[in-house]
Amino acid sequence: MASHKMLKLPEVLAEIGMSRAAFYRMRARGQAPRLRKLPNGQLRVSRSDLDAWWERCEQHAA
């Protein structure tokens, strides 16, 4: 079974160049990559979800 790379929210924000507030506004509109909440309350985004989100952004921009 392949391991799934999970990114911390600050890593995601740095990669997409967005503030936490802007990310949460986008999330409220249903336009952000899917967040997963771990049992300890920390948030993660899977690498595959983030890559798919980037693809959708490129398709909408074209």
Side-chain angles (χ1 to χ4, degrees), residues 22-52:
F23 181 87
Y24 277 105
R25 283 192 302 271
M26 199 166 70
R27 184 172 179 242
R29 293 188 306 262
Q31 299 172 334
R34 187 171 114 195
L35 283 177
R36 299 174 192 216
K37 192 171 191 176
L38 301 179
N40 64 4
Q42 294 181 2
L43 299 173
R44 297 286 188 273
V45 175
S46 76
R47 176 86 253 170
S48 60
D49 285 346
L50 185 58
D51 291 342

Side-chain angles (χ1 to χ4, degrees), residues 2-24:
S3 65
H4 298 282
K5 173 75 173 161
M6 298 299 283
L7 304 168
K8 294 178 181 179
L9 187 54
E11 295 172 318
V12 173
L13 296 175
E15 181 172 331
I16 65 177
M18 187 176 290
S19 71
R20 184 179 295 261
F23 181 87
Y24 277 105

